[in-house]
Amino acid sequence: MEEAESSAKGASLDGGLFGDGLVSAPAATTKGKRRGSGPKGPPVRRIRVLLPLPLDTPGGGAYDYSVPNGTPLPELGSFVAVPLGGREMLGVVWDGEPDPNLPEGRLRDILGILPAPPMKEALRRFVEWVAAYTLSPPGAVLRMAMSVPSALEPPGQQAGWKLSAAGEAAKEGAPGYRMTAQRRRVLEVMTPGEPRAGADIADEAGVSTGVLRGLAEAGLIEPALLPRPRSFARPDPGHPGPYLADDQEAAAAALRETVAKRAFGVTLLAGVTGSGKTEVYLDAVAECLRQGRQALVLLPEIALSAQWLDRFKARFGCAPALWHSELSGRLRRATWRAVADGEVGVLVGARSALFLPFPDLGLIIVDEEHETAFKQEDGVIYHARDMAVVRARMAEATCVLVSATPSLETLTNAEQGRYSALNLPSRHGSAGLPEVEVLDLRKVPPERGRFISPPLIEAITETLARGEQAMLFLNRRGYAPMTLCRTCGHRIRCPNCTAWLVEHRAQRRLQCHHCGHAEPIPPHCPECGAEGSLTAIGPGVERVQEEASQLFPDARRFVMASDTIPGPAAAAEAARMIADREVDLLIGTQIVAKGWHFPHLTLVGVVDADLGLAGGDLRAAERTVQLLHQVAGRAGRAESPGRVLLQSWNPEHPVMHALISGDLPAFMAEEAEARRPGGWPPFGRLAALIVSSEDERAADRVARDLGLAAPGGEGVQVLGPAPAPLAMLRGRHRRRLLLKARRDVAVQPLLRSWLSRVEVPNAVRVQVDVDPVSFL
């Protein structure tokens, strides 16, 4: 295996974390006083506490604290409040022996134990493993596992009423109580030992709340806390599921058997688009629920997966718990706590869901495992697909990697026997695979100033005439990727990044898609001052939409891109419109490639099939074939046959041949053979060092020093330093060095030794990216 999205700042203890449930230290120690200042007493009880701080210290953020007399000794994994300097922090009681040589006078008392389920050993080991693998401080990884500090305090409970002992006696007819007809009705609707809300009691008994107050004054009912309602419905594994064909049932049975073993294992579930992979792995989820364990499903675009959620509801009778960046703070808090309490049976989330506190995780599904969206590029840099395998191993759980176009890393692991493999070679039901054809733009170019070729225009016209839906795909947002002055040739670029500003004509702005910088479209050239000389170069989806409006004026058009589909509600509405045939021509970027099922869409036209093949990216061809195969899979998913037209200036490219033939295994085998001799992943190891600073000379100096201190030896090679392709990003100058090693070389010790030999000033940042997927 080619071995983190949400982060939280170190929490201060304010806003009620010292609630009624907090086990506090005695009053004399609540300021975290140091030991050894008073008379000698019982032996000091020492514990180690890991703090969610990116501390690059020998302890990695773990400090020794003492537990004051009168406070229970917290168990491993307990969340505790501790003093640190002049502030109060939350941390986790961590494994390992405290330093016995640390004088008592330097120890500070913990402030209290929070009333939250302790962090399980499996998650603590996972935090340590991720930190060691990615060369990150353990506290930085812990911060991702403590992303909702407010969830460490249990939610409040609503007050209600219950029968007192006297009330129970009166209900049974005991004499001596002043009763009225209204009071009797109240006692009749109340059950001994079961608290109820006052409004519910009053409604059922047909009385006012004043009657309840009278009963309370008479001592017949007494206040009581109501049980907390479940925040999330429990998915029903016995809910009737869809019919599975023979090959689907065979794959589902194999997964059910694996889950039932309650042991670690990894399975690749591959299959063509539309083959029913989702229904198969949902059967494994059902088995996990029958085992009484929890399941985690990772999706690359959870906020846009409206149709997937509909499938889940149909299969299990309720919605799953969700975890992604669009959740409100209140819902994040409730979800985190419900996961920790074991209330959540199935959670569907983005990559950061791996760090949630599941007490009994039995299954992890990584859907679309090949997607680069699973790679976290900031903070703790990790690949969620690979870390999901590790998380499953720590939890003795099953991990299932799902894709119609598996990554070469995953295919190699399956071929070498590290993973099991299941395959669904045909589409479910009567649907067949679409016919794929390449349009050679050298022979049938678009008209001057346009981007859609005559054969594609004709195919769309015929499709719309039959009452069917068509799609135009271009993986580029905005109107145009570059703005050029026709007078002096000036190209408008981002002031913070080595990137051109993308024109968004609808909003009349130029925007950088790397740092977010935006500015109005200027009326004249910023370089030479010529008016009316700026022109858009190249197409984005907005420009394709403009051209389509001229070519197909009567067609109802809809653009799907991250600009127009910002979250779950917009995605659900878009899916509804297309399914209800309120859209004739869909125009989209890569978000239309992932998991959508549009039964009336029969034609897909790819405006620029060569996009993504340029440049020196190691995985350019692999990613292009994966993306275009997924896009092609949107066509012909029901009874009507599908057709895919790829516009290309290079129809002889192996990617085009693979898409036409549909023989992706042969293409991936050729990719493997091309990488094997040079020892490129997955047949070798890579690790990148990215040096960045606002001061270009400082970045150059550190990069030079790292180059001079680079490790050597058999099977190890260092490339660089060199300016990164994005030599400036968000105002920081960037240099890259790439460590390339044989597959059997452990790169982490090499990297630690390498970094220890170079002094890095505070103004310079050195990021470590083990197993990089991006080379920008």
Side-chain angles (χ1 to χ4, degrees), residues 233-253:
R234 187 83 178 179
D236 178 12
H239 194 270
Y243 165 78
L244 297 181
D246 291 345
D247 57 343
Q248 292 176 316
E249 175 54 37

Side-chain angles (χ1 to χ4, degrees), residues 312-327:
F312 186 94
K313 293 175 189 176
R315 176 62 181 84
F316 293 104
C318 68
L322 300 179
W323 188 261
H324 56 82
S325 59
E326 300 293 325
L327 295 182

Side-chain angles (χ1 to χ4, degrees), residues 475-695:
N475 193 26
R476 186 183 279 150
R477 292 186 293 157
Y479 184 84
M482 185 170 66
T483 301
L484 173 73
C485 174
R486 291 190 300 264
T487 301
C488 70
H490 175 70
R491 303 174 182 185
I492 302 180
R493 58 182 296 171
C494 175
N496 307 314
C497 306
T498 310
W500 311 121
L501 291 181
V502 176
E503 179 179 342
H504 289 257
R505 184 160 293 186
Q507 291 82 28
R508 294 205 53 77
R509 72 170 189 265
L510 301 173
Q511 182 174 338
C512 176
H513 289 171
H514 298 286
C515 72
H517 169 82
E519 59 187 59
I521 300 174
H524 51 74
C525 174
E527 184 70 18
C528 70
E531 291 194 16
S533 65
L534 297 178
T535 185
I537 303 298
V541 285
E542 289 181 15
R543 197 167 192 176
V544 172
Q545 142 74 359
E546 180 182 85
E547 184 174 334
S549 68
Q550 299 166 0
L551 294 169
F552 315 105
D554 298 328
R556 295 167 297 178
R557 300 169 303 279
F558 186 77
V559 176
M560 286 186 71
S562 56
D563 305 290
T564 60
I565 308 292
E573 176 60 14
R576 184 203 64 77
M577 291 172 57
I578 298 167
D580 290 349
R581 309 187 77 164
E582 295 177 15
V583 174
D584 301 315
L585 180 58
L586 178 62
I587 302 163
T589 63
Q590 63 177 346
I591 68 170
V592 302
K594 300 167 185 173
W596 301 100
H597 178 75
F598 302 133
H600 308 295
L601 197 153
T602 59
L603 175 68
V604 169
V606 178
V607 176
D608 186 353
D610 305 320
L611 188 64
L613 290 174
D617 192 327
L618 168 70
R619 299 179 177 87
E622 178 187 353
R623 288 179 184 165
T624 300
V625 83
Q626 288 167 338
L627 177 61
L628 295 184
H629 181 78
Q630 294 277 350
V631 171
R634 299 315 105 201
R637 295 173 69 94
E639 290 76 15
S640 300
R643 186 183 181 196
V644 180
L645 299 179
L646 310 173
Q647 293 192 157
S648 172
W649 295 97
N650 188 11
E652 294 85 11
H653 197 283
V655 165
M656 306 307 158
H657 286 298
L659 293 168
I660 293 170
S661 66
D663 193 353
L664 267 64
F667 172 83
M668 296 302 279
E670 291 177 6
E671 275 286 294
E673 289 310 307
R675 294 189 205 174
R676 195 188 306 271
W680 297 102
F683 308 106
R685 307 296 306 277
L686 291 180
L689 298 186
I690 303 99
V691 181
S692 68
S693 176
E694 293 180 1
D695 183 341

